[in-house]
Amino acid sequence: MIYIGCHLSVTNGYEAMGKTMCDFGGNTFAYFTRNPRGGRSKDIIPEDAAALNRLLEEQRFGKLVAHGSYTMNLCAAKESTRLNGLDMLEQDIQRMEFFPHQYYNFHPGAHTGQGAEKGIELIADALNGVLFPEMSTTVLLETMAGKGTEMGRSFEELREIIDRVELKDKVGVCFDTCHVWDAGYDVANDLDGVLHHFDDVIGLDRLRAVHFNDSKNPCGAHKDRHEKLGQGYIGMEAMKRIALHPALQNKPFILETPNDDEGYIAEIRTVKEWMEEST
Ligand code: FE
Ligand code: FE
Ligand code: ZN
């Protein structure tokens, strides 16, 4: 089995997201730790955090996958942007401890013309500055589509970042199916091959969460436009094979498909039906 859920809004607090996901029929979720376009994060009320933690345990949720801000660019050429990103990362990582043992996922960054080598160095330096031995969170680098100067466009790039991180046991990868497809990995026709390659380069033990999206563009397009399950170029049969792949079991799968609540509820139901059929 896999854990399934979608992105939720933190507007009504943390426990409220857990309740909403129960209503949606899922058992994991993602939320932005702050406004995805930057800005402040919502204050965490300790009682609200504790109530969510209780709900997660009672309802046997899989790990949550909190998402860092899109504006956080740890390898920007502009120093003020980079320092701002570092601030966000440090605060987010501290705040994650209200929710012990969950995942914190973020986009590695865009090197904005400095070159991939420099990007790798800056991202690893950032992580080395904020990760601490006692933290319970695992930080997940997201696989990216390779738009512009985006980092994380290949498994090799992610591997190079991880290689330079001192506290390696705090770091994993979030596998975004739309992004890897757009980056040129054919998860529709050669899923085994792609996962085998991931294992060779990074190690499947580092693959901790999946962003479960179809793509509006063909493989290798480097576009990053998500599509509803089965309505994009990856297609429903391939999405089903991904959800049922033995190497991806017991992981949280987060839908980031362009949907309203009803659409998410329907996709969660579809994934649960696949799991029931397969047992
Ligand atoms: Fe993302
Ligand atoms: Fe994603
Ligand atoms: Zn995306």
Side-chain angles (χ1 to χ4, degrees):
M1 61 142 336
I2 58 168
Y3 297 94
I4 183 72
C6 61
H7 266 269
L8 294 175
S9 160
V10 75
T11 311
N12 296 316
Y14 291 88
E15 187 192 20
M17 289 192 285
K19 288 182 170 166
T20 299
M21 191 43 63
C22 291
D23 292 343
F24 280 18
N27 51 9
T28 178
F29 61 88
Y31 62 94
F32 284 103
T33 54
R34 55 185 76 228
N35 182 316
R37 298 280 156 212
R40 280 178 47 85
S41 43
K42 191 175 169 64
D43 280 332
I44 299 176
I45 301 161
E47 292 73 27
D48 184 28
L52 173 61
N53 291 334
R54 260 195 317 276
L55 179 149
L56 298 176
E57 207 179 313
E58 281 165 14
Q59 301 296 324
R60 298 169 190 273
F61 268 49
K63 288 196 190 286
L64 306 185
V65 192
H67 199 306
S69 171
Y70 289 149
T71 57
M72 187 171 95
N73 186 0
L74 302 174
C75 59
K78 198 173 162 200
E79 195 184 20
S80 58
T81 306
R82 208 166 62 237
L83 294 178
N84 189 255
L86 269 174
D87 260 6
M88 288 195 250
L89 180 68
E90 182 163 27
Q91 287 169 25
D92 282 357
I93 287 190
Q94 301 284 341
R95 290 157 52 90
M96 281 303 294
E97 293 301 313
F98 277 103
F99 311 101
H101 306 288
Q102 308 295 351
Y103 292 146
Y104 173 78
N105 142 252
F106 69 99
H107 297 180
H111 67 66
T112 59
Q114 303 174 94
E117 261 317 298
K118 186 72 183 168
I120 288 161
E121 201 183 297
L122 287 170
I123 296 160
D125 285 353
L127 288 169
N128 285 330
V130 299
L131 302 183
F132 58 100
E134 301 79 19
M135 66 189 276
S136 68
T137 308
T138 305
V139 165
L140 307 182
L141 298 162
E142 183 164 344
T143 57
M144 299 309 291
K147 231 182 344 173
T149 64
E150 212 166 54
M151 301 294 302
R153 60 173 64 221
S154 69
F155 300 157
E156 285 78 5
E157 254 178 32
L158 293 173
R159 160 71 193 268
E160 283 194 59
I161 297 167
I162 296 167
D163 272 348
R164 290 173 192 235
V165 175
E166 285 151 26
L167 297 172
K168 287 189 178 46
D169 60 319
K170 309 295 182 196
V171 184
V173 172
C174 175
F175 188 92
D176 186 310
T177 55
C178 166
H179 296 178
V180 293
W181 169 262
D182 278 32
Y185 296 105
D186 190 352
V187 290
N189 302 298
D190 186 23
L191 179 60
D192 281 332
V194 172
L195 290 173
H196 192 91
H197 184 57
F198 187 102
D199 195 30
D200 280 345
V201 176
I202 303 178
L204 278 171
D205 54 324
R206 294 233 187 252
L207 200 169
R208 300 299 182 82
V210 176
H211 281 172
F212 198 46
N213 309 309
D214 208 328
S215 174
K216 282 195 201 293
N217 291 286
C219 185
H222 301 295
K223 285 277 206 291
D224 189 3
R225 303 265 323 276
H226 301 188
E227 184 52 285
K228 293 176 185 154
L229 300 187
Q231 296 189 24
Y233 276 86
I234 300 177
M236 203 57 128
E237 283 310 308
M239 295 309 295
K240 182 174 174 180
R241 283 195 297 274
I242 295 169
L244 299 178
H245 197 283
L248 302 176
Q249 296 311 293
N250 301 313
K251 303 192 194 299
F253 274 52
I254 305 294
L255 297 161
E256 300 179 310
T257 45
N259 271 308
D260 54 15
D261 289 359
E262 292 312 312
Y264 283 127
I265 291 167
E267 288 190 342
I268 289 168
R269 198 184 308 123
T270 299
V271 171
K272 285 165 75 178
E273 282 166 9
W274 294 340
M275 287 192 272
E276 277 158 28
E277 275 169 34
S278 75
T279 50

